[in-house]
Amino acid sequence: MARRKAPDGGTVSASADPAASRIGNEGRRVSALRKASTQERCEAAMREIQADVEANKGIYPLNDGRITLQEVLRRADLSSAALEKPHHRAFKGEVADWVAGANKRIARGARTIRKVVTERVNDANAEIKAIRQAWTEAELEYVDGRDELAKLTTKNAALTREVQQLKAELAGRNVIPLNGAKDPR
C-alpha cells in the first residue's frame, strides 16, 4: 500500500484516504472501458477482413494477401503493441486463433491466386461476349424494324392518297335513291 505524509508530519495509508480510493476506482473503470474498446475495435476489424475476403471470393486484397495479427491491429487502428499488455493475453490468443483459421480459408500463393484471377477474367470475358452478342442482335432488330416502319409509312401514304382520290370521285357522282324513293332532281 502506498503511504503519504499526513499534515501532522506522520504517514497515512492511501486506502484510508477517500479521494485516493475514488481516484483508484475511476482509474480501474477507465482501464476496463479502454480494454473493452480495444477488443471491440479488433472484433470489428476481423469482421471487416472477413467481409473483404468474402467480397473477393477467397482472396484478401490487402497486405499482399496475408492476414496477420498485425494486420488486424492495423485495421483496428491500434498500435502493434496493443495486445501485448497483460490484461489482453487471453484476447490476443483468440485473435491469433481467428487469424490462423482465416488463413486456412483464403487462397494463398501465386499459382492459386493466378488461377482464381484467371477464372474470374474468363468469366468476365464470357459475360462481355454475351452482352456484345445481345447488343448486336438488338441492333439488327432495330434496323429491321426501322426499315419495316419506313415501308409501312410509305404504303400508308399511298393508301391515304388512294382513299382521298376515291372520295373525290364518289363526291362527283349522283346519289342513288334507297327503297324506291324518288330522285330529288
Side-chain angles (χ1 to χ4, degrees):
M1 293 216 166
R3 297 197 171 269
R4 63 180 180 87
K5 284 197 173 203
D8 61 358
T11 59
V12 177
S13 171
S15 63
D17 186 9
S21 176
R22 191 178 70 246
I23 290 171
N25 289 338
E26 183 65 18
R28 282 186 285 283
R29 187 186 68 78
V30 169
S31 176
L33 288 174
R34 243 191 263 136
K35 177 181 176 183
S37 171
T38 298
Q39 291 179 353
E40 288 169 3
R41 289 165 65 180
C42 285
E43 289 167 352
M46 291 187 294
R47 285 190 299 273
E48 290 173 10
I49 289 171
Q50 188 62 38
D52 284 347
V53 169
E54 289 172 5
N56 289 289
K57 299 178 183 170
I59 296 175
Y60 182 59
L62 304 173
N63 197 29
D64 294 327
R66 294 185 319 261
I67 300 174
T68 62
L69 181 63
Q70 294 304 314
E71 179 65 8
V72 172
L73 291 172
R74 185 191 69 77
R75 294 285 296 261
D77 200 25
L78 295 169
S79 76
S80 59
L83 296 182
E84 298 299 324
K85 297 174 183 165
H87 57 273
H88 285 305
R89 279 197 192 116
F91 185 67
K92 181 181 179 183
E94 291 175 26
V95 173
D97 291 343
W98 180 86
V99 166
N103 278 324
K104 289 178 183 175
R105 293 186 299 271
I106 63 172
R108 297 188 68 183
R111 284 185 178 168
T112 306
I113 292 174
R114 186 176 299 120
K115 180 181 175 184
V116 170
V117 171
T118 301
E119 288 173 1
R120 289 183 195 171
V121 168
N122 290 340
D123 292 344
N125 285 338
E127 189 174 337
I128 289 170
K129 188 175 180 179
I131 291 170
R132 284 182 179 160
Q133 180 65 31
W135 178 271
T136 303
E137 290 171 5
E139 193 172 23
L140 289 173
E141 289 175 8
Y142 169 74
V143 169
D144 289 344
R146 191 179 61 196
D147 291 345
E148 184 70 22
L149 179 63
K151 288 177 189 175
L152 292 173
T153 302
T154 304
K155 186 175 181 179
N156 186 24
L159 290 173
T160 302
R161 280 192 303 276
E162 184 180 341
V163 166
Q164 288 174 350
Q165 183 183 14
L166 290 173
K167 281 183 179 180
E169 287 178 16
L170 284 176
R173 294 196 177 163
N174 293 333
V175 177
I176 302 172
L178 297 175
N179 297 332
K182 293 187 179 184
D183 193 4
R185 290 188 230 174

